[in-house]
Amino acid sequence: MPTWVGDAVLATPLIEAIHDRHPHAVKDFLIKPSLRGLLDDAPWLGRVHEWSDAGGFWPLRAELASARYDWAILLPNSLRPALLTWLARARRRVGYARNGRSPLLTDRLPFPDTRGRTVPFRMVEFYGAIGATLGVEGCHRPLKLHVGEQVAARADRLFETHGVTGDTPLIGVNPGAKYGSSKLWPARHFAEAADALIERTGGRIVVLAGPGEDELAGDIRCRMTGDAVVLPSSDVDLGVLKGVLRRLDLLISNDTGPRHMAAAVGVPTVTIFGPTHTVWGDSGFEPCVDLALEVDCGPCMQRTCPQGHHKCMVELTPSVVVDAAQTLLERFPPSRGV
């Protein structure tokens, strides 16, 4: 599986298509520990092997070799997964011919020709091409994550603990991003947008915090004049986050993993883009609005603003986000009613 949460979610159409084509095949997954919980409760989930860059390569190779896999489907483009599955003697090793790993693969896909430039392409199609190589059809389908009863109950208890009950529309705010500061819409903008949505919709604001983002989430709540609930990162792992997102009626997010998770559980989403192209994460999910400000220096694809002004985010005003959010709520009204 890919390393990033968003990329892993964008791979779910391929996984679902493989499961439909080969429902009785055993499907085991090799993931980084940071993805633990994301795939739980899926009907296709077999054994989960965890691995990290810190070590354990040779024990893991022996573990995989003992399973005698027929297929190894490599979604990341790095060398190590290809080397690992080659040493584990998987009979068929499928992936993109990139980073010097072509001799390790039995089925090689040509990497999109970017001619040395950053040319965006849809990741769902990038993964779908792997399915086509395997003779798997139907890879063009919605993102999908599975929420089991225990996860849903944990999310419900978390909301109850923080006093989030009743029929009030729930609007989530996801202000973080692991990629870097260039992806962060300013906290003051999130706070202003949240207050405006409370006034317009009567909704309840739920601020999400990933690991290391509790201070940012608390800053947004402090800047608001209205009320908001902050869900501490210590209470929300990836599994619980699926249940939390499914309870929302709308999510406002930076371009980061939870926005794809929201789409994968059917939640309308407004995504705020700065340094990245909107094309990468386009999954075809209809109840979403992607907002990006055209600037002469972007999309730069940098983790921090090279020019220091962060214009692409700073000048994308809260009113634009609020209007997009209200339009989505009107087009896809909450089941509890606005």
PDB file of all heavy atoms in Angstrom, residues 306-325:
ATOM      1  N   PRO A 306       8.021  28.937  -1.215  1.00  0.00           N
ATOM      2  CA  PRO A 306       9.375  29.387  -1.582  1.00  0.00           C
ATOM      3  C   PRO A 306       9.548  30.898  -1.511  1.00  0.00           C
ATOM      4  O   PRO A 306      10.648  31.391  -1.300  1.00  0.00           O
ATOM      5  CB  PRO A 306       9.541  28.885  -3.023  1.00  0.00           C
ATOM      6  CG  PRO A 306       8.496  27.840  -3.215  1.00  0.00           C
ATOM      7  CD  PRO A 306       7.363  28.246  -2.324  1.00  0.00           C
ATOM      8  N   GLN A 307       8.439  31.646  -1.680  1.00  0.00           N
ATOM      9  CA  GLN A 307       8.531  33.106  -1.701  1.00  0.00           C
ATOM     10  C   GLN A 307       8.122  33.744  -0.377  1.00  0.00           C
ATOM     11  O   GLN A 307       8.207  34.964  -0.223  1.00  0.00           O
ATOM     12  CB  GLN A 307       7.678  33.657  -2.846  1.00  0.00           C
ATOM     13  CG  GLN A 307       8.109  33.123  -4.207  1.00  0.00           C
ATOM     14  CD  GLN A 307       7.423  33.828  -5.361  1.00  0.00           C
ATOM     15  OE1 GLN A 307       6.979  34.964  -5.219  1.00  0.00           O
ATOM     16  NE2 GLN A 307       7.350  33.162  -6.497  1.00  0.00           N
ATOM     17  N   GLY A 308       7.632  32.911   0.546  1.00  0.00           N
ATOM     18  CA  GLY A 308       7.351  33.406   1.887  1.00  0.00           C
ATOM     19  C   GLY A 308       6.030  34.132   2.073  1.00  0.00           C
ATOM     20  O   GLY A 308       5.670  34.457   3.210  1.00  0.00           O
ATOM     21  N   HIS A 309       5.271  34.376   0.995  1.00  0.00           N
ATOM     22  CA  HIS A 309       4.027  35.145   1.152  1.00  0.00           C
ATOM     23  C   HIS A 309       2.788  34.252   1.290  1.00  0.00           C
ATOM     24  O   HIS A 309       1.754  34.697   1.767  1.00  0.00           O
ATOM     25  CB  HIS A 309       3.833  36.126  -0.002  1.00  0.00           C
ATOM     26  CG  HIS A 309       3.948  35.509  -1.369  1.00  0.00           C
ATOM     27  ND1 HIS A 309       3.164  34.465  -1.801  1.00  0.00           N
ATOM     28  CD2 HIS A 309       4.775  35.811  -2.401  1.00  0.00           C
ATOM     29  CE1 HIS A 309       3.473  34.151  -3.036  1.00  0.00           C
ATOM     30  NE2 HIS A 309       4.474  34.939  -3.428  1.00  0.00           N
ATOM     31  N   HIS A 310       2.886  32.998   0.837  1.00  0.00           N
ATOM     32  CA  HIS A 310       1.774  32.035   0.960  1.00  0.00           C
ATOM     33  C   HIS A 310       0.488  32.591   0.348  1.00  0.00           C
ATOM     34  O   HIS A 310      -0.618  32.376   0.839  1.00  0.00           O
ATOM     35  CB  HIS A 310       1.547  31.675   2.433  1.00  0.00           C
ATOM     36  CG  HIS A 310       1.011  30.287   2.631  1.00  0.00           C
ATOM     37  ND1 HIS A 310       0.437  29.881   3.816  1.00  0.00           N
ATOM     38  CD2 HIS A 310       0.950  29.220   1.803  1.00  0.00           C
ATOM     39  CE1 HIS A 310       0.053  28.626   3.714  1.00  0.00           C
ATOM     40  NE2 HIS A 310       0.354  28.201   2.501  1.00  0.00           N
ATOM     41  N   LYS A 311       0.663  33.344  -0.734  1.00  0.00           N
ATOM     42  CA  LYS A 311      -0.464  34.036  -1.356  1.00  0.00           C
ATOM     43  C   LYS A 311      -1.597  33.094  -1.751  1.00  0.00           C
ATOM     44  O   LYS A 311      -2.777  33.430  -1.630  1.00  0.00           O
ATOM     45  CB  LYS A 311       0.034  34.791  -2.592  1.00  0.00           C
ATOM     46  CG  LYS A 311      -1.028  35.601  -3.302  1.00  0.00           C
ATOM     47  CD  LYS A 311      -0.514  36.182  -4.617  1.00  0.00           C
ATOM     48  CE  LYS A 311       0.634  37.150  -4.397  1.00  0.00           C
ATOM     49  NZ  LYS A 311       1.064  37.791  -5.674  1.00  0.00           N
ATOM     50  N   CYS A 312      -1.254  31.892  -2.237  1.00  0.00           N
ATOM     51  CA  CYS A 312      -2.284  30.978  -2.734  1.00  0.00           C
ATOM     52  C   CYS A 312      -3.283  30.593  -1.663  1.00  0.00           C
ATOM     53  O   CYS A 312      -4.442  30.270  -1.967  1.00  0.00           O
ATOM     54  CB  CYS A 312      -1.638  29.719  -3.320  1.00  0.00           C
ATOM     55  SG  CYS A 312      -0.643  28.776  -2.147  1.00  0.00           S
ATOM     56  N   MET A 313      -2.863  30.612  -0.396  1.00  0.00           N
ATOM     57  CA  MET A 313      -3.756  30.284   0.706  1.00  0.00           C
ATOM     58  C   MET A 313      -4.287  31.541   1.401  1.00  0.00           C
ATOM     59  O   MET A 313      -5.480  31.649   1.678  1.00  0.00           O
ATOM     60  CB  MET A 313      -3.026  29.405   1.731  1.00  0.00           C
ATOM     61  CG  MET A 313      -2.858  27.961   1.293  1.00  0.00           C
ATOM     62  SD  MET A 313      -4.458  27.143   1.056  1.00  0.00           S
ATOM     63  CE  MET A 313      -4.036  25.450   1.451  1.00  0.00           C
ATOM     64  N   VAL A 314      -3.434  32.482   1.664  1.00  0.00           N
ATOM     65  CA  VAL A 314      -3.827  33.672   2.414  1.00  0.00           C
ATOM     66  C   VAL A 314      -4.920  34.456   1.684  1.00  0.00           C
ATOM     67  O   VAL A 314      -5.862  34.966   2.305  1.00  0.00           O
ATOM     68  CB  VAL A 314      -2.602  34.580   2.663  1.00  0.00           C
ATOM     69  CG1 VAL A 314      -3.027  35.925   3.256  1.00  0.00           C
ATOM     70  CG2 VAL A 314      -1.607  33.890   3.586  1.00  0.00           C
ATOM     71  N   GLU A 315      -4.818  34.527   0.352  1.00  0.00           N
ATOM     72  CA  GLU A 315      -5.767  35.349  -0.401  1.00  0.00           C
ATOM     73  C   GLU A 315      -7.016  34.581  -0.841  1.00  0.00           C
ATOM     74  O   GLU A 315      -7.890  35.150  -1.498  1.00  0.00           O
ATOM     75  CB  GLU A 315      -5.055  35.956  -1.613  1.00  0.00           C
ATOM     76  CG  GLU A 315      -3.953  36.930  -1.221  1.00  0.00           C
ATOM     77  CD  GLU A 315      -3.362  37.665  -2.404  1.00  0.00           C
ATOM     78  OE1 GLU A 315      -3.845  37.473  -3.541  1.00  0.00           O
ATOM     79  OE2 GLU A 315      -2.419  38.456  -2.189  1.00  0.00           O
ATOM     80  N   LEU A 316      -7.110  33.293  -0.481  1.00  0.00           N
ATOM     81  CA  LEU A 316      -8.354  32.556  -0.701  1.00  0.00           C
ATOM     82  C   LEU A 316      -9.247  32.843   0.502  1.00  0.00           C
ATOM     83  O   LEU A 316      -9.024  32.332   1.600  1.00  0.00           O
ATOM     84  CB  LEU A 316      -8.085  31.061  -0.838  1.00  0.00           C
ATOM     85  CG  LEU A 316      -9.135  30.249  -1.599  1.00  0.00           C
ATOM     86  CD1 LEU A 316      -8.553  28.912  -2.057  1.00  0.00           C
ATOM     87  CD2 LEU A 316     -10.367  30.002  -0.758  1.00  0.00           C
ATOM     88  N   THR A 317     -10.262  33.668   0.306  1.00  0.00           N
ATOM     89  CA  THR A 317     -10.997  34.254   1.425  1.00  0.00           C
ATOM     90  C   THR A 317     -12.007  33.290   2.037  1.00  0.00           C
ATOM     91  O   THR A 317     -12.534  32.396   1.362  1.00  0.00           O
ATOM     92  CB  THR A 317     -11.740  35.512   0.973  1.00  0.00           C
ATOM     93  OG1 THR A 317     -12.712  35.152  -0.024  1.00  0.00           O
ATOM     94  CG2 THR A 317     -10.782  36.537   0.392  1.00  0.00           C
ATOM     95  N   PRO A 318     -12.313  33.474   3.325  1.00  0.00           N
ATOM     96  CA  PRO A 318     -13.321  32.643   3.984  1.00  0.00           C
ATOM     97  C   PRO A 318     -14.684  32.687   3.314  1.00  0.00           C
ATOM     98  O   PRO A 318     -15.406  31.684   3.293  1.00  0.00           O
ATOM     99  CB  PRO A 318     -13.381  33.223   5.401  1.00  0.00           C
ATOM    100  CG  PRO A 318     -12.021  33.798   5.622  1.00  0.00           C
ATOM    101  CD  PRO A 318     -11.616  34.353   4.284  1.00  0.00           C
ATOM    102  N   SER A 319     -15.051  33.830   2.749  1.00  0.00           N
ATOM    103  CA  SER A 319     -16.378  33.944   2.134  1.00  0.00           C
ATOM    104  C   SER A 319     -16.542  32.973   0.970  1.00  0.00           C
ATOM    105  O   SER A 319     -17.630  32.418   0.754  1.00  0.00           O
ATOM    106  CB  SER A 319     -16.618  35.377   1.652  1.00  0.00           C
ATOM    107  OG  SER A 319     -15.663  35.758   0.671  1.00  0.00           O
ATOM    108  N   VAL A 320     -15.471  32.743   0.209  1.00  0.00           N
ATOM    109  CA  VAL A 320     -15.520  31.790  -0.903  1.00  0.00           C
ATOM    110  C   VAL A 320     -15.771  30.381  -0.375  1.00  0.00           C
ATOM    111  O   VAL A 320     -16.569  29.619  -0.930  1.00  0.00           O
ATOM    112  CB  VAL A 320     -14.205  31.841  -1.708  1.00  0.00           C
ATOM    113  CG1 VAL A 320     -14.176  30.746  -2.766  1.00  0.00           C
ATOM    114  CG2 VAL A 320     -14.030  33.204  -2.350  1.00  0.00           C
ATOM    115  N   VAL A 321     -15.099  30.037   0.703  1.00  0.00           N
ATOM    116  CA  VAL A 321     -15.269  28.706   1.296  1.00  0.00           C
ATOM    117  C   VAL A 321     -16.666  28.546   1.881  1.00  0.00           C
ATOM    118  O   VAL A 321     -17.312  27.504   1.709  1.00  0.00           O
ATOM    119  CB  VAL A 321     -14.190  28.465   2.375  1.00  0.00           C
ATOM    120  CG1 VAL A 321     -14.432  27.145   3.098  1.00  0.00           C
ATOM    121  CG2 VAL A 321     -12.803  28.484   1.743  1.00  0.00           C
ATOM    122  N   VAL A 322     -17.147  29.565   2.548  1.00  0.00           N
ATOM    123  CA  VAL A 322     -18.485  29.504   3.153  1.00  0.00           C
ATOM    124  C   VAL A 322     -19.558  29.350   2.076  1.00  0.00           C
ATOM    125  O   VAL A 322     -20.493  28.543   2.219  1.00  0.00           O
ATOM    126  CB  VAL A 322     -18.745  30.762   4.007  1.00  0.00           C
ATOM    127  CG1 VAL A 322     -20.202  30.801   4.462  1.00  0.00           C
ATOM    128  CG2 VAL A 322     -17.815  30.775   5.215  1.00  0.00           C
ATOM    129  N   ASP A 323     -19.438  30.096   0.995  1.00  0.00           N
ATOM    130  CA  ASP A 323     -20.416  29.982  -0.094  1.00  0.00           C
ATOM    131  C   ASP A 323     -20.412  28.566  -0.680  1.00  0.00           C
ATOM    132  O   ASP A 323     -21.473  27.994  -0.961  1.00  0.00           O
ATOM    133  CB  ASP A 323     -20.108  30.997  -1.191  1.00  0.00           C
ATOM    134  CG  ASP A 323     -20.429  32.428  -0.781  1.00  0.00           C
ATOM    135  OD1 ASP A 323     -21.167  32.605   0.210  1.00  0.00           O
ATOM    136  OD2 ASP A 323     -19.931  33.365  -1.438  1.00  0.00           O
ATOM    137  N   ALA A 324     -19.230  28.004  -0.878  1.00  0.00           N
ATOM    138  CA  ALA A 324     -19.138  26.641  -1.419  1.00  0.00           C
ATOM    139  C   ALA A 324     -19.744  25.641  -0.459  1.00  0.00           C
ATOM    140  O   ALA A 324     -20.456  24.704  -0.868  1.00  0.00           O
ATOM    141  CB  ALA A 324     -17.673  26.301  -1.695  1.00  0.00           C
ATOM    142  N   ALA A 325     -19.473  25.810   0.834  1.00  0.00           N
ATOM    143  CA  ALA A 325     -20.022  24.889   1.834  1.00  0.00           C
ATOM    144  C   ALA A 325     -21.543  24.969   1.884  1.00  0.00           C
ATOM    145  O   ALA A 325     -22.231  23.932   1.938  1.00  0.00           O
ATOM    146  CB  ALA A 325     -19.433  25.215   3.202  1.00  0.00           C
TER     147      ALA A 325
END
